[in-house]
C-alpha cells in the first residue's frame, strides 16, 4: 500500500496561483492529494500518519533554474578549491600555488592537477595565474586552474604541451590564447581556447564521477532543492546521471541540459536515457553566445567602464557569429527542442533575439520558452522583444552580491551596474522570469539568492539598483513555480497543489516575514516524492 502522510501544524506557502497559505497537506505515495485545513486533509486521507511540523514553514522544494550539478560535485570532491573570500580563502597567486602544490605532492607524476574557482579581481596581484606560476606547482604534472566564471583557465607548460599549444598556435574562433612579450603562450586561455586543454584531461574513474554527483546532489538537498539542473551536459555525463539515479545515488530530481553535439546523439539514438522522466529530464539544449562580464569577455554594446588593458573601444566578444548562432538555434527548433543560450552582455542578447526571431518565423506555433541564461545586461527594449518572442530571462541575481561592487567600479560603471539583472522590470511587464546561482560559480545557497534578489546588497553592504529589488513572494515564485515553468515541468512540480509531486522544504522561519533576515533562514528538512531525503 502507498504511504499516506499528513503534514500539519505548519505555515505552508503553497505558491499556487492565489499564493494560498494553508496549515496542512496530505500526501499519498509521491503525490499531493489534499491541501488546506487539517480537518479537510484528514477527511481526504482518514488513515494517514500525522507529521507535526511544530509551527515551522513549509515551501515547495526549490527548483534550480540554472546551475551545474556535476561541476559543483567536482569542486567539492575532486578539484582543488581556489575560491577567495567570501566563498573561500585564497588571497594571492602564492596561495593558488600553495594549494595546487599540496595536491601535486599527493598525486602520482603525470596525473592532472585541477584547481577551480580562482578570481583574478579578488587576489592581491589582480591577475590570472600564468604558465610560469603554475610551473612552480609542478613540471611533472599537467596543471590546470579554472577561473570562477568557468570561462577561463590557466595551464602550466606540461598541460600546454599535451594540448599542443605553442608560440605558433593561433587563437580559435570565439577564444584567445594569451601570449607574453616573447610571443609564447602565457598559460591563460580565454573561452573556447580553454577547451583544447580541457578535452585532454582524462575522464575520472566511475567511482570518482558518481561520488561527485552524489556529493553535489546531497548538498543541494540540504539546501532545500528538490529539482537540480545540470547546464551543458556532456554525453558521458548524461549517461552517468542516468546510471547514478538508477542506482539510487541521487536523492533529488535532475534536469540535464545537453549541448548541441549531445542533442544530435540523442536524436540519432546514439545516447539514450533509461531512468524515469520523474527523476531525470533531458531539457533545453544549451548554447553560449558570449562569455563573462567579470572576465571582460561578456559581449557589450558599449565599452567596459575601466577599459580592458587600456583598449577604450573594447566591448568583449561573441562566442560565435550571429549567423552561426541563428543556424544552431534553428537546428534546435527543427528538432522540436527547447533552447537555452548563455547571454550576459546586451550585444549577445541582441544576437540571441535575432536568432530566436528567425527560428520562430521558420517554425511557428509552438510554445518553446527559449531561455536567456544570465541575461544580466538586458535593456528595456530587449525586455520588450523578449516579451514579444516569449523568451524567459533567467537572471544571475547573485552577481549583485558577489560582484556588485566590482560591476559598479570596474566593469560596468554605476548606471549599467544599477540595472544589472532587471528582474523587476520584467515582472512589471507581466513577464515570467527566474533567478539562479549558476553553482559552482557561486555556492548553491537558494536562501542567499532569495535574499539577494529582494535586497540587492553587495558584499560591502551597499544597495545596487534598488528599483530592481523584488518582493519576497516574487523572489520565491521565481525559484519555485516559475522555475518549474521555465523548465516546462510546472505540471508536476513548483507549487504545493493537488496532483503534483510531494517535493517540499521545511524552513526554520517564514521567508516572507522579514526581507533582511532571509539569508539567515535554515533548511530543516527536504522531501522528494513524500520521502525525507
Ligand atoms: Zn552556467
Amino acid at each position: 500500500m502507498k504511504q499516506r502522510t499528513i503534514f500539519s501544524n505548519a505555515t505552508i506557502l503553497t505558491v499556487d496561483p492565489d499564493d494560498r497559505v494553508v496549515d496542512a497537506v496530505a500526501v499519498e505515495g509521491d503525490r499531493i492529494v489534499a491541501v488546506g485545513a487539517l480537518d479537510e486533509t484528514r477527511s481526504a486521507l482518514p488513515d494517514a500518519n500525522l507529521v507535526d511540523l511544530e509551527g515551522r514553514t513549509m515551501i515547495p522544494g526549490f527548483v534550480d533554474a540554472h546551475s551545474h550539478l556535476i561541476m559543483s560535485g567536482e569542486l567539492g570532491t575532486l578539484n582543488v578549491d581556489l575560491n577567495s573570500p567570501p566563498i573561500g580563502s585564497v588571497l594571492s597567486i602564492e596561495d593558488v600555488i600553495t594549494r595546487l602544490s599540496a595536491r601535486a605532492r599527493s598525486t602520482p607524476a603525470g596525473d592532472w592537477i585541477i584547481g577551480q574557482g580562482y578570481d583574478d579581481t579578488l587576489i592581491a596581484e589582480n591577475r590570472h595565474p600564468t604558465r610560469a606560476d603554475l610551473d612552480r606547482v609542478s613540471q611533472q604534472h599537467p596543471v590546470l586552474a579554472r577561473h570562477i566564471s568557468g570561462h577561463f583557465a590557466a595551464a602550466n607548460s606540461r598541460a600546454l604541451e599535451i594540448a599542443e599549444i605553442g608560440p605558433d598556435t593561433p587563437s580559435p574562433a570565439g577564444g584567445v590564447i594569451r601570449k607574453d612579450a616573447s610571443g609564447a603562450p602565457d598559460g591563460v586561455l580565454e573561452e573556447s581556447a580553454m577547451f583544447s586543454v580541457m578535452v585532454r584531461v582524462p575522464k575520472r574513474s566511475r567511482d570518482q564521477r558518481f561520488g561527485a554527483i552524489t556529493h553535489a546532489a546531497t548538498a543541494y538537498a540540504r539546501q532545500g532543492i528538490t529539482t537540480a539542473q545540470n547546464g551543458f551536459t556532456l554525453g558521458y555525463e548524461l549517461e552517468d546521471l542516468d546510471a547514478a539515479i538508477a542506482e539510487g545515488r541521487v536523492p533529488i530530481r535532475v534536469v540535464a541540459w545537453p549541448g548541441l553535439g549531445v542533442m544530435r546523439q540523442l536524436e540519432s539514438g546514439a545516447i539514450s536515457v533509461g531512468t524515469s522522466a520523474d527523476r531525470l529530464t533531458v531539457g533545453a539544449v544549451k548554447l553560449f553566445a558570449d562569455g563573462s562580464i567579470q572576465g571582460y569577455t561578456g559581449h557589450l554594446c558599449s565599452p567596459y567602464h575601466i577599459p580592458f588593458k587600456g583598449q577604450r573601444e573594447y566591448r568583449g566578444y561573441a562566442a560565435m557569429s550571429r549567423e552561426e548562432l541563428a543556424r544552431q538555434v534553428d537546428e534546435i527548433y527543427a528538432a522540436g527542442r527547447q533552447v537555452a543560450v548563455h547571454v550576459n552582455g546586451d550585444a549577445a542578447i541582441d544576437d540571441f533575439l535575432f536568432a530566436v526571431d528567425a527560428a520562430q518565423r521558420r517554425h511557428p506555433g509552438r510554445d518553446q520558452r527559449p531561455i536567456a541564461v544570465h541575461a544580466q545586461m538586458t535593456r528595456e527594449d530587449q525586455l520588450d522583444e523578449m516579451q514579444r518572442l516569449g523568451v524567459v530571462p533567467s537572471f544571475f541575481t547573485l552577481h549583485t552580491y558577489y560582484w556588485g561592487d566590482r560591476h559598479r567600479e570596474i566593469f560596468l560603471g554605476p548606471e549599467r551596474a544599477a540595472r544589472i539583472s532587471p528582474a523587476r522590470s520584467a515582472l512589471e511587464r507581466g513577464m515570467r522570469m527566474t533567478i539562479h546561482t549558476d553553482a559552482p560559480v557561486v555556492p548553491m545557497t537558494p536562501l542567499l539568492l532569495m535574499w539577494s534578489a529582494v535586497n540587492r546588497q553587495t558584499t560591502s553592504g551597499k544597495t545596487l539598483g534598488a528599483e530592481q529589488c523584488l518582493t519576497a513572494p516574487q523572489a520565491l515564485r521565481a525559484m519555485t513555480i516559475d522555475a518549474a515553468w521555465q523548465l516546462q515541468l510546472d505540471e508536476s512540480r513548483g507549487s504545493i497543489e493537488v496532483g503534483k509531486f510531494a517535493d517540499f522544504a521545511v524552513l526554520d522561519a517564514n521567508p516572507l516575514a522579514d526581507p533582511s533576515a532571509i539569508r539567515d533562514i535554515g533548511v530543516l528538512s527536504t522531501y522528494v516524492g513524500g520521502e525525507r531525503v
Side-chain angles (χ1 to χ4, degrees):
M1 200 181 90
K2 285 181 182 169
Q3 183 91 17
R4 295 173 160 189
T5 310
I6 291 174
F7 297 91
S8 69
N9 188 21
T11 302
I12 301 176
L13 311 176
T14 63
V15 199
D16 73 1
D18 304 317
D19 273 329
R20 264 200 318 157
V21 180
V22 299
D23 52 31
V25 54
V27 173
E28 185 170 26
D30 64 353
R31 301 277 172 164
I32 298 166
V33 294
V35 177
L38 180 57
D39 50 352
E40 292 171 82
T41 54
R42 262 190 206 263
S43 53
L45 273 191
D47 52 351
N49 298 321
L50 209 59
V51 174
D52 183 346
L53 292 176
E54 298 172 337
R56 310 292 194 189
T57 298
M58 178 189 261
I59 60 171
F62 289 118
V63 176
D64 171 15
H66 175 64
S67 79
H68 303 266
L69 178 76
I70 294 178
M71 247 201 278
S72 300
E74 289 170 348
L75 177 63
T77 56
L78 303 173
N79 297 342
V80 180
D81 189 340
L82 299 178
N83 276 287
S84 295
I87 299 171
S89 57
V90 165
L91 300 174
S92 62
I93 297 278
E94 218 45 52
D95 287 350
V96 170
I97 294 169
T98 307
R99 303 283 163 103
L100 293 169
S101 301
R103 178 63 64 90
R105 280 194 293 277
S106 63
T107 305
D111 284 5
W112 285 75
I113 309 293
I114 311 281
Q116 191 177 337
Y118 79 85
D119 187 334
D120 56 307
T121 63
L122 285 183
I123 50 187
E125 295 84 351
N126 258 292
R127 62 171 177 81
H128 295 262
T130 61
R131 175 168 63 98
D133 297 321
L134 300 180
D135 281 348
R136 288 175 52 207
V137 173
S138 175
Q139 313 255 15
Q140 282 75 47
H141 302 80
V143 180
L144 191 69
R146 302 191 59 190
H147 188 255
I148 184 166
S149 65
H151 289 261
F152 303 82
N156 74 344
S157 296
R158 185 76 195 102
L160 292 172
E161 198 182 313
I162 290 169
E164 295 169 24
I165 293 175
D168 302 326
T169 312
S171 289
V176 174
I177 297 170
R178 290 197 191 167
K179 306 274 172 78
D180 62 21
S182 75
D186 76 356
V188 180
L189 305 163
E190 299 183 9
E191 304 293 339
S192 65
M194 156 181 97
F195 291 108
S196 41
V197 177
M198 283 172 54
V199 296
R200 305 298 177 120
V201 179
K203 221 159 86 169
R204 260 93 170 219
S205 72
R206 191 179 195 271
D207 267 2
Q208 287 176 322
R209 300 193 322 263
F210 281 40
I213 291 171
T214 301
H215 178 88
T218 307
Y220 278 39
R222 267 197 204 107
Q223 296 287 336
I225 302 231
T226 52
T227 295
Q229 225 261 298
N230 193 65
F232 198 76
T233 309
L234 303 174
Y236 79 84
E237 291 176 332
L238 188 58
E239 291 171 335
D240 281 357
L241 285 169
D242 195 23
I245 291 168
E247 288 173 21
R249 299 176 66 158
V250 183
I252 56 178
R253 307 180 200 280
V254 179
V255 177
W257 285 355
L260 188 58
V262 176
M263 181 197 94
R264 289 176 186 147
Q265 289 176 295
L266 286 162
E267 291 289 314
S268 74
I271 292 183
S272 60
V273 169
T275 307
S276 126
D278 289 355
R279 303 298 298 204
L280 176 62
T281 316
V282 177
V285 181
K286 173 91 184 280
L287 304 174
F288 292 83
D290 71 341
S292 128
I293 294 167
Q294 77 272 24
Y296 281 101
T297 56
H299 194 199
L300 306 179
C301 286
S302 23
Y304 281 83
H305 181 58
I306 293 188
F308 176 61
K309 295 188 171 173
Q311 303 166 45
R312 300 206 148 275
E313 297 307 313
Y314 177 86
R315 301 184 288 112
Y317 52 87
M320 63 183 95
S321 71
R322 172 177 281 205
E323 292 67 32
E324 177 59 18
L325 181 67
R327 199 199 60 68
Q328 295 189 8
V329 168
D330 188 78
E331 183 179 342
I332 295 163
Y333 266 71
R337 291 178 184 266
Q338 188 180 17
V339 63
V341 183
H342 168 112
V343 285
N344 270 314
D346 49 347
I349 294 167
D350 278 339
D351 289 348
F352 175 49
L353 294 174
F354 170 85
V356 169
D357 184 38
Q360 291 193 353
R361 283 171 207 273
R362 283 169 50 93
H363 311 277
R366 299 199 205 115
D367 178 13
Q368 299 280 78
R369 291 177 213 172
I371 305 166
V373 182
H374 308 322
Q376 294 194 92
M377 298 314 300
T378 308
R379 301 184 311 258
E380 294 293 320
D381 63 295
Q382 290 176 325
L383 282 172
D384 292 338
E385 185 67 355
M386 284 182 183
Q387 186 169 32
R388 183 180 77 80
L389 294 169
V391 168
V392 191
S394 183
F395 295 113
F396 194 167
T397 313
L398 258 182
H399 250 261
T400 55
Y401 175 61
Y402 286 107
W403 283 276
D405 294 319
R406 285 171 285 161
H407 281 312
R408 191 176 42 224
E409 284 148 28
I410 303 171
F411 310 118
L412 298 169
E415 267 169 49
R416 281 183 296 180
R419 58 173 318 289
I420 198 167
S421 291
R424 188 68 181 240
S425 293
L427 289 184
E428 277 166 3
R429 284 171 169 76
M431 295 170 68
R432 291 175 96 170
M433 58 85 205
T434 68
I435 55 179
H436 64 253
T437 63
D438 204 21
V441 172
V442 303
M444 178 47 85
T445 48
L447 287 151
L448 183 68
L449 169 63
M450 184 177 172
W451 168 84
S452 169
V454 171
N455 296 284
R456 287 179 69 103
Q457 229 176 71
T458 68
T459 47
S460 73
K462 296 190 183 101
T463 302
L464 190 73
E467 316 69 48
Q468 295 299 338
C469 288
L470 299 179
T471 65
Q474 288 171 336
L476 183 59
R477 202 157 262 284
M479 301 168 66
T480 53
I481 186 63
D482 286 353
W485 177 81
Q486 172 207 273
L487 298 170
Q488 303 185 352
L489 294 170
D490 50 314
E491 300 278 311
S492 65
R493 65 198 78 174
S495 59
I496 299 178
E497 293 183 84
V498 171
K500 293 197 179 186
F501 289 131
D503 292 359
F504 316 121
V506 179
L507 310 178
D508 65 10
N510 183 342
L512 309 185
D514 175 2
S516 65
I518 298 169
R519 63 181 293 179
D520 304 318
I521 294 173
V523 178
L524 299 172
S525 51
T526 303
Y527 292 84
V528 175
E531 278 185 40
R532 188 174 165 150
V533 297

